[in-house]
Amino acid sequence: MRKMKIVADSSCDLFALPCVDFASAPMRVITNEREFIDDPSLDVDSMTDYLYQYKGKSKSSCPNVGDWLDAFGDAEDVFCVTITSGLSGSYNAACAAKRVYEGEHEGRRVCVVDTLSAGPEVTLIVEKLQACIQAGMTYEEICQSVTEYRKKTGLIFMLKSLKTFANNGRVSPVVARLVGIAGICIVGKASDEGTLEPRHKCRGERRSWETLVSELEAEGYRSGRICIGHCQNETAAEQIKSMILEKFENAKIKIHTLKGLCSFYAEKGGVLIGFERP
């Protein structure tokens, strides 16, 4: 029996998995004053509160080749899952680590999965790999299964702040201030190219919840697993869960608090929803 292992960068919001070998390669959040490593010791609430008050530039940093190789350990078959290549260099670093690992260890294999997403959708993909391993599937069967599964998952989101995106130059500071001051929430989705695509500007949080449920239906959700991640907004997560169950009674919904990297981008009050399509 070959030794299998799942490895993911910390955008998956998981640091351990029951019954399978798993490792997380930490992302980092960096400001001019401090660096936060997205591992189990990180106080995410403290980081979020600090960034909420911070006025300077901030950015994220992905695992390097060495970080990935450390995470691979001595596994014979590695299933490596990364945040979207559309927003991060994590996938490219993982592919470089795959070439080194397979070159230095004859017979070992690494399957790298570009999720084209982040947060709860990555969580679903990692948990799919876990189920495949526990079902006794072969390396080839698992690679094929997760490739097909990734095409049947999606991500929608609600953001109450665009400060991080403005700091990174991804949106205009004027637009970011409008969202923060006027009580506007941004609702959007992960695009097919792996970028975050804003779709709606909703005045008030309740309206944004309703829009999220409408987007979920428009994106093809009918039943199956949903993973809701939130940044200091459990009330919204629970309300959205209730609204989804009113419309889709067979939905299987889990809620978790976002870890460091996803909290950095979602910001205080943000909600990310990963879901399965038919």
Side-chain angles (χ1 to χ4, degrees):
M1 185 70 177
R2 291 175 64 86
K3 183 176 181 180
M4 294 183 171
K5 186 174 188 178
I6 302 171
V7 176
D9 61 41
S10 57
S11 71
C12 72
D13 288 328
L14 294 166
F15 295 127
L17 282 173
C19 305
V20 300
D21 195 6
F22 176 80
S24 170
M27 309 283 278
R28 288 169 168 78
V29 174
I30 302 167
T31 73
N32 291 332
E33 301 171 351
R34 298 180 63 180
E35 177 176 293
F36 301 91
I37 301 174
D38 193 11
D39 63 18
S41 67
L42 176 63
D43 185 335
V44 177
D45 285 343
S46 177
M47 182 197 78
T48 301
D49 292 341
Y50 164 80
L51 291 170
Y52 185 74
Q53 301 294 331
Y54 181 68
K55 304 299 183 184
K57 295 288 185 181
S58 57
K59 63 180 181 179
S60 61
S61 175
C62 69
N64 59 36
V65 173
D67 294 329
W68 282 118
L69 291 172
D70 288 343
F72 293 171
D74 62 353
E76 294 171 287
D77 291 335
V78 178
F79 303 96
C80 178
V81 184
T82 78
I83 190 173
T84 171
S85 59
L87 294 175
S88 171
S90 187
Y91 173 74
N92 289 336
C95 288
K98 165 187 167 72
R99 290 191 291 270
V100 172
Y101 195 71
E102 291 179 343
E104 293 181 349
H105 304 284
E106 185 177 355
R108 295 187 185 182
R109 300 174 291 190
V110 181
C111 173
V112 183
V113 181
D114 179 1
T115 65
L116 298 177
S117 191
E121 186 177 357
V122 184
T123 306
L124 291 176
I125 291 169
V126 169
E127 290 178 345
K128 176 65 173 180
L129 284 167
Q130 176 190 18
C132 289
I133 292 174
Q134 290 180 302
M137 296 170 65
T138 66
Y139 174 84
E140 292 81 6
E141 290 171 338
I142 295 172
C143 291
Q144 181 178 353
S145 179
V146 75
T147 298
E148 292 301 315
Y149 183 75
R150 191 197 62 74
K151 299 174 184 176
K152 297 180 179 180
T153 58
L155 179 79
I156 56 177
F157 59 84
M158 177 198 78
L159 303 180
K160 297 180 70 174
S161 170
L162 294 177
K163 178 183 173 184
T164 294
F165 287 96
N167 283 345
N168 288 335
R170 298 183 186 274
V171 300
S172 160
V174 174
V175 173
R177 283 195 294 272
L178 177 65
V179 172
I181 294 172
I184 293 174
C185 297
I186 299 296
V187 172
K189 68 171 188 174
S191 71
D192 292 340
E193 295 74 34
T195 59
L196 298 183
E197 178 184 322
R199 293 174 62 84
H200 305 279
K201 297 176 183 177
C202 304
R203 188 174 295 277
E205 198 167 1
R206 177 76 188 187
R207 178 58 182 157
S208 71
W209 302 342
E210 295 169 351
T211 303
L212 276 173
V213 177
S214 296
E215 278 292 298
L216 190 64
E217 183 175 25
E219 287 296 307
Y221 180 80
R222 296 297 179 268
S223 65
R225 299 168 63 219
I226 290 177
C227 187
I228 302 176
H230 69 88
C231 180
Q232 297 186 354
N233 201 351
E234 186 174 1
T235 297
E238 291 289 351
Q239 288 291 329
I240 293 166
K241 175 181 178 180
S242 295
M243 293 169 71
I244 293 172
L245 287 171
E246 285 180 13
K247 196 171 190 67
F248 306 103
E249 61 182 17
N250 294 321
K252 300 176 178 65
I253 305 174
K254 294 197 303 184
I255 293 174
H256 70 267
T257 56
L258 297 172
K259 301 302 189 289
L261 188 279
C262 290
S263 290
F264 172 61
Y265 282 106
E267 298 189 63
K268 186 175 290 191
V271 177
L272 309 180
I273 303 175
F275 61 93
E276 296 178 333
R277 296 186 179 93

